Amino acid sequence: MISVVAARYAKALADVVAPEGKGVDAAPIAAQLRVVEDIIASSTELRNALASPAVAPSKKRAVIGRLVAMQPELANIDRRVRNFLFVVVDHRRILELKSIIEAFEALIDERLGFVRADVSSARDLTAEQKSALEVQLSRLAGRKAKLRFTTDPGVVAGVVARVGSTVYDGSVRGQLERLRVKLS
């Protein structure tokens, strides 16, 4: 679940990089933020230093600046991303960066008219199955669906799709549960 704080920061970033009504591709922005988030998540010392109120904000910005300069994937980092990271560090919200990125991506998808769907299946699906699910879920949602796939052995067989707060349960486990309720 996305926190209110993460949603506010995500909206601020989205308003700067992809104002409503403009068809801006925000994927590179999210990718750059993900690289930084992965680096921070991989180092306990770095995470602690950036979150510590004992470390001056100017030193934290310098660390972020050096961190970005050392990464080949961030050689051409968008200045808005760098400045956003500085704001997040200054306000001691760096530990919420992952949630902020998720909220940002969801907001951009919403602005572009997409609906997000999480699909769980017992095993990996083929490209044809994924494509058919995308078409079907887009039809059910009334908007183009962006699917994220995960595997869950508890599904047994079939799929479970969550679009917003609606769950479409086409799993064997779900069918067995519905049968159990009918027979009770």
Side-chain angles (χ1 to χ4, degrees), residues 135-155:
V135 168
Q136 191 70 313
L137 289 173
S138 294
R139 185 184 61 76
L140 288 170
R143 295 190 287 173
K144 177 84 171 129
K146 274 185 124 176
L147 279 53
R148 291 187 300 191
F149 295 94
T150 57
T151 56
D152 177 8
V155 172

PDB file of all heavy atoms in Angstrom, residues 135-155:
ATOM      1  N   VAL A 135      -5.621  -8.605 -23.212  1.00  0.00           N
ATOM      2  CA  VAL A 135      -6.794  -8.215 -24.011  1.00  0.00           C
ATOM      3  C   VAL A 135      -8.065  -8.346 -23.171  1.00  0.00           C
ATOM      4  O   VAL A 135      -8.897  -7.438 -23.130  1.00  0.00           O
ATOM      5  CB  VAL A 135      -6.891  -9.074 -25.295  1.00  0.00           C
ATOM      6  CG1 VAL A 135      -8.231  -8.900 -25.977  1.00  0.00           C
ATOM      7  CG2 VAL A 135      -5.751  -8.742 -26.237  1.00  0.00           C
ATOM      8  N   GLN A 136      -8.195  -9.477 -22.488  1.00  0.00           N
ATOM      9  CA  GLN A 136      -9.403  -9.735 -21.699  1.00  0.00           C
ATOM     10  C   GLN A 136      -9.536  -8.753 -20.530  1.00  0.00           C
ATOM     11  O   GLN A 136     -10.620  -8.211 -20.285  1.00  0.00           O
ATOM     12  CB  GLN A 136      -9.371 -11.177 -21.181  1.00  0.00           C
ATOM     13  CG  GLN A 136     -10.662 -11.649 -20.593  1.00  0.00           C
ATOM     14  CD  GLN A 136     -11.761 -11.838 -21.621  1.00  0.00           C
ATOM     15  OE1 GLN A 136     -11.995 -10.973 -22.472  1.00  0.00           O
ATOM     16  NE2 GLN A 136     -12.448 -12.947 -21.540  1.00  0.00           N
ATOM     17  N   LEU A 137      -8.453  -8.505 -19.815  1.00  0.00           N
ATOM     18  CA  LEU A 137      -8.506  -7.584 -18.678  1.00  0.00           C
ATOM     19  C   LEU A 137      -8.721  -6.145 -19.143  1.00  0.00           C
ATOM     20  O   LEU A 137      -9.394  -5.372 -18.464  1.00  0.00           O
ATOM     21  CB  LEU A 137      -7.255  -7.713 -17.815  1.00  0.00           C
ATOM     22  CG  LEU A 137      -7.161  -9.012 -17.008  1.00  0.00           C
ATOM     23  CD1 LEU A 137      -5.803  -9.132 -16.327  1.00  0.00           C
ATOM     24  CD2 LEU A 137      -8.286  -9.119 -15.998  1.00  0.00           C
ATOM     25  N   SER A 138      -8.169  -5.784 -20.297  1.00  0.00           N
ATOM     26  CA  SER A 138      -8.411  -4.447 -20.852  1.00  0.00           C
ATOM     27  C   SER A 138      -9.890  -4.278 -21.174  1.00  0.00           C
ATOM     28  O   SER A 138     -10.482  -3.234 -20.902  1.00  0.00           O
ATOM     29  CB  SER A 138      -7.578  -4.226 -22.114  1.00  0.00           C
ATOM     30  OG  SER A 138      -6.212  -4.199 -21.820  1.00  0.00           O
ATOM     31  N   ARG A 139     -10.486  -5.323 -21.731  1.00  0.00           N
ATOM     32  CA  ARG A 139     -11.915  -5.285 -22.060  1.00  0.00           C
ATOM     33  C   ARG A 139     -12.752  -5.152 -20.786  1.00  0.00           C
ATOM     34  O   ARG A 139     -13.665  -4.329 -20.706  1.00  0.00           O
ATOM     35  CB  ARG A 139     -12.317  -6.547 -22.817  1.00  0.00           C
ATOM     36  CG  ARG A 139     -13.757  -6.528 -23.311  1.00  0.00           C
ATOM     37  CD  ARG A 139     -14.179  -7.837 -23.977  1.00  0.00           C
ATOM     38  NE  ARG A 139     -14.105  -8.981 -23.084  1.00  0.00           N
ATOM     39  CZ  ARG A 139     -14.997  -9.248 -22.102  1.00  0.00           C
ATOM     40  NH1 ARG A 139     -16.019  -8.443 -21.913  1.00  0.00           N
ATOM     41  NH2 ARG A 139     -14.865 -10.303 -21.343  1.00  0.00           N
ATOM     42  N   LEU A 140     -12.412  -5.933 -19.760  1.00  0.00           N
ATOM     43  CA  LEU A 140     -13.166  -5.892 -18.499  1.00  0.00           C
ATOM     44  C   LEU A 140     -13.018  -4.546 -17.789  1.00  0.00           C
ATOM     45  O   LEU A 140     -13.973  -4.042 -17.204  1.00  0.00           O
ATOM     46  CB  LEU A 140     -12.704  -7.015 -17.568  1.00  0.00           C
ATOM     47  CG  LEU A 140     -13.125  -8.430 -17.964  1.00  0.00           C
ATOM     48  CD1 LEU A 140     -12.400  -9.456 -17.110  1.00  0.00           C
ATOM     49  CD2 LEU A 140     -14.624  -8.590 -17.843  1.00  0.00           C
ATOM     50  N   ALA A 141     -11.817  -3.971 -17.842  1.00  0.00           N
ATOM     51  CA  ALA A 141     -11.559  -2.708 -17.141  1.00  0.00           C
ATOM     52  C   ALA A 141     -12.031  -1.492 -17.933  1.00  0.00           C
ATOM     53  O   ALA A 141     -12.203  -0.417 -17.370  1.00  0.00           O
ATOM     54  CB  ALA A 141     -10.067  -2.574 -16.843  1.00  0.00           C
ATOM     55  N   GLY A 142     -12.198  -1.660 -19.230  1.00  0.00           N
ATOM     56  CA  GLY A 142     -12.618  -0.528 -20.059  1.00  0.00           C
ATOM     57  C   GLY A 142     -11.475   0.401 -20.418  1.00  0.00           C
ATOM     58  O   GLY A 142     -11.695   1.472 -20.971  1.00  0.00           O
ATOM     59  N   ARG A 143     -10.255   0.034 -20.065  1.00  0.00           N
ATOM     60  CA  ARG A 143      -9.053   0.807 -20.401  1.00  0.00           C
ATOM     61  C   ARG A 143      -7.929  -0.173 -20.699  1.00  0.00           C
ATOM     62  O   ARG A 143      -7.993  -1.334 -20.332  1.00  0.00           O
ATOM     63  CB  ARG A 143      -8.604   1.679 -19.216  1.00  0.00           C
ATOM     64  CG  ARG A 143      -9.580   2.748 -18.839  1.00  0.00           C
ATOM     65  CD  ARG A 143      -9.001   3.719 -17.853  1.00  0.00           C
ATOM     66  NE  ARG A 143      -8.897   3.116 -16.525  1.00  0.00           N
ATOM     67  CZ  ARG A 143      -8.311   3.691 -15.498  1.00  0.00           C
ATOM     68  NH1 ARG A 143      -7.730   4.863 -15.631  1.00  0.00           N
ATOM     69  NH2 ARG A 143      -8.271   3.112 -14.324  1.00  0.00           N
ATOM     70  N   LYS A 144      -6.890   0.321 -21.323  1.00  0.00           N
ATOM     71  CA  LYS A 144      -5.726  -0.507 -21.620  1.00  0.00           C
ATOM     72  C   LYS A 144      -5.089  -0.957 -20.306  1.00  0.00           C
ATOM     73  O   LYS A 144      -4.807  -0.144 -19.437  1.00  0.00           O
ATOM     74  CB  LYS A 144      -4.722   0.309 -22.442  1.00  0.00           C
ATOM     75  CG  LYS A 144      -3.441  -0.406 -22.759  1.00  0.00           C
ATOM     76  CD  LYS A 144      -3.585  -1.269 -23.977  1.00  0.00           C
ATOM     77  CE  LYS A 144      -2.213  -1.783 -24.380  1.00  0.00           C
ATOM     78  NZ  LYS A 144      -2.158  -3.175 -24.569  1.00  0.00           N
ATOM     79  N   ALA A 145      -4.891  -2.255 -20.156  1.00  0.00           N
ATOM     80  CA  ALA A 145      -4.332  -2.807 -18.923  1.00  0.00           C
ATOM     81  C   ALA A 145      -2.826  -3.011 -19.057  1.00  0.00           C
ATOM     82  O   ALA A 145      -2.332  -3.428 -20.096  1.00  0.00           O
ATOM     83  CB  ALA A 145      -4.996  -4.134 -18.592  1.00  0.00           C
ATOM     84  N   LYS A 146      -2.119  -2.662 -17.987  1.00  0.00           N
ATOM     85  CA  LYS A 146      -0.690  -2.953 -17.872  1.00  0.00           C
ATOM     86  C   LYS A 146      -0.565  -4.056 -16.836  1.00  0.00           C
ATOM     87  O   LYS A 146      -0.933  -3.859 -15.678  1.00  0.00           O
ATOM     88  CB  LYS A 146       0.077  -1.720 -17.394  1.00  0.00           C
ATOM     89  CG  LYS A 146       0.500  -0.788 -18.479  1.00  0.00           C
ATOM     90  CD  LYS A 146       1.345   0.306 -17.896  1.00  0.00           C
ATOM     91  CE  LYS A 146       2.679   0.352 -18.584  1.00  0.00           C
ATOM     92  NZ  LYS A 146       3.476   1.484 -18.092  1.00  0.00           N
ATOM     93  N   LEU A 147      -0.088  -5.203 -17.265  1.00  0.00           N
ATOM     94  CA  LEU A 147      -0.061  -6.360 -16.382  1.00  0.00           C
ATOM     95  C   LEU A 147       1.308  -6.590 -15.770  1.00  0.00           C
ATOM     96  O   LEU A 147       2.328  -6.390 -16.426  1.00  0.00           O
ATOM     97  CB  LEU A 147      -0.468  -7.614 -17.159  1.00  0.00           C
ATOM     98  CG  LEU A 147      -1.954  -7.863 -17.373  1.00  0.00           C
ATOM     99  CD1 LEU A 147      -2.676  -6.715 -17.987  1.00  0.00           C
ATOM    100  CD2 LEU A 147      -2.175  -9.117 -18.162  1.00  0.00           C
ATOM    101  N   ARG A 148       1.292  -7.000 -14.501  1.00  0.00           N
ATOM    102  CA  ARG A 148       2.500  -7.461 -13.809  1.00  0.00           C
ATOM    103  C   ARG A 148       2.233  -8.895 -13.407  1.00  0.00           C
ATOM    104  O   ARG A 148       1.228  -9.189 -12.757  1.00  0.00           O
ATOM    105  CB  ARG A 148       2.796  -6.607 -12.576  1.00  0.00           C
ATOM    106  CG  ARG A 148       3.233  -5.203 -12.933  1.00  0.00           C
ATOM    107  CD  ARG A 148       3.673  -4.430 -11.732  1.00  0.00           C
ATOM    108  NE  ARG A 148       2.563  -4.327 -10.775  1.00  0.00           N
ATOM    109  CZ  ARG A 148       2.569  -3.542  -9.726  1.00  0.00           C
ATOM    110  NH1 ARG A 148       3.612  -2.806  -9.449  1.00  0.00           N
ATOM    111  NH2 ARG A 148       1.533  -3.484  -8.914  1.00  0.00           N
ATOM    112  N   PHE A 149       3.137  -9.764 -13.793  1.00  0.00           N
ATOM    113  CA  PHE A 149       2.941 -11.192 -13.573  1.00  0.00           C
ATOM    114  C   PHE A 149       3.808 -11.701 -12.430  1.00  0.00           C
ATOM    115  O   PHE A 149       4.979 -11.324 -12.314  1.00  0.00           O
ATOM    116  CB  PHE A 149       3.278 -11.978 -14.843  1.00  0.00           C
ATOM    117  CG  PHE A 149       2.351 -11.669 -15.981  1.00  0.00           C
ATOM    118  CD1 PHE A 149       2.673 -10.702 -16.916  1.00  0.00           C
ATOM    119  CD2 PHE A 149       1.152 -12.340 -16.113  1.00  0.00           C
ATOM    120  CE1 PHE A 149       1.816 -10.406 -17.961  1.00  0.00           C
ATOM    121  CE2 PHE A 149       0.285 -12.052 -17.155  1.00  0.00           C
ATOM    122  CZ  PHE A 149       0.615 -11.085 -18.084  1.00  0.00           C
ATOM    123  N   THR A 150       3.220 -12.561 -11.590  1.00  0.00           N
ATOM    124  CA  THR A 150       3.959 -13.250 -10.541  1.00  0.00           C
ATOM    125  C   THR A 150       3.509 -14.706 -10.532  1.00  0.00           C
ATOM    126  O   THR A 150       2.416 -15.031 -11.025  1.00  0.00           O
ATOM    127  CB  THR A 150       3.693 -12.641  -9.145  1.00  0.00           C
ATOM    128  OG1 THR A 150       2.293 -12.680  -8.873  1.00  0.00           O
ATOM    129  CG2 THR A 150       4.193 -11.214  -9.051  1.00  0.00           C
ATOM    130  N   THR A 151       4.357 -15.556  -9.978  1.00  0.00           N
ATOM    131  CA  THR A 151       3.965 -16.953  -9.823  1.00  0.00           C
ATOM    132  C   THR A 151       3.676 -17.218  -8.358  1.00  0.00           C
ATOM    133  O   THR A 151       4.354 -16.696  -7.478  1.00  0.00           O
ATOM    134  CB  THR A 151       5.063 -17.915 -10.328  1.00  0.00           C
ATOM    135  OG1 THR A 151       6.276 -17.635  -9.645  1.00  0.00           O
ATOM    136  CG2 THR A 151       5.276 -17.780 -11.820  1.00  0.00           C
ATOM    137  N   ASP A 152       2.644 -18.000  -8.124  1.00  0.00           N
ATOM    138  CA  ASP A 152       2.214 -18.365  -6.780  1.00  0.00           C
ATOM    139  C   ASP A 152       1.740 -19.815  -6.821  1.00  0.00           C
ATOM    140  O   ASP A 152       0.654 -20.091  -7.345  1.00  0.00           O
ATOM    141  CB  ASP A 152       1.088 -17.428  -6.321  1.00  0.00           C
ATOM    142  CG  ASP A 152       0.539 -17.783  -4.952  1.00  0.00           C
ATOM    143  OD1 ASP A 152       1.119 -18.662  -4.277  1.00  0.00           O
ATOM    144  OD2 ASP A 152      -0.461 -17.170  -4.549  1.00  0.00           O
ATOM    145  N   PRO A 153       2.535 -20.735  -6.285  1.00  0.00           N
ATOM    146  CA  PRO A 153       2.142 -22.151  -6.316  1.00  0.00           C
ATOM    147  C   PRO A 153       0.811 -22.420  -5.615  1.00  0.00           C
ATOM    148  O   PRO A 153       0.131 -23.398  -5.912  1.00  0.00           O
ATOM    149  CB  PRO A 153       3.279 -22.858  -5.578  1.00  0.00           C
ATOM    150  CG  PRO A 153       4.407 -21.895  -5.567  1.00  0.00           C
ATOM    151  CD  PRO A 153       3.830 -20.532  -5.671  1.00  0.00           C
ATOM    152  N   GLY A 154       0.385 -21.532  -4.716  1.00  0.00           N
ATOM    153  CA  GLY A 154      -0.880 -21.698  -4.019  1.00  0.00           C
ATOM    154  C   GLY A 154      -2.088 -21.551  -4.924  1.00  0.00           C
ATOM    155  O   GLY A 154      -3.203 -21.941  -4.560  1.00  0.00           O
ATOM    156  N   VAL A 155      -1.897 -20.990  -6.101  1.00  0.00           N
ATOM    157  CA  VAL A 155      -3.001 -20.826  -7.045  1.00  0.00           C
ATOM    158  C   VAL A 155      -3.439 -22.187  -7.584  1.00  0.00           C
ATOM    159  O   VAL A 155      -4.572 -22.372  -7.982  1.00  0.00           O
ATOM    160  CB  VAL A 155      -2.591 -19.866  -8.196  1.00  0.00           C
ATOM    161  CG1 VAL A 155      -3.641 -19.818  -9.291  1.00  0.00           C
ATOM    162  CG2 VAL A 155      -2.346 -18.479  -7.640  1.00  0.00           C
TER     163      VAL A 155
END
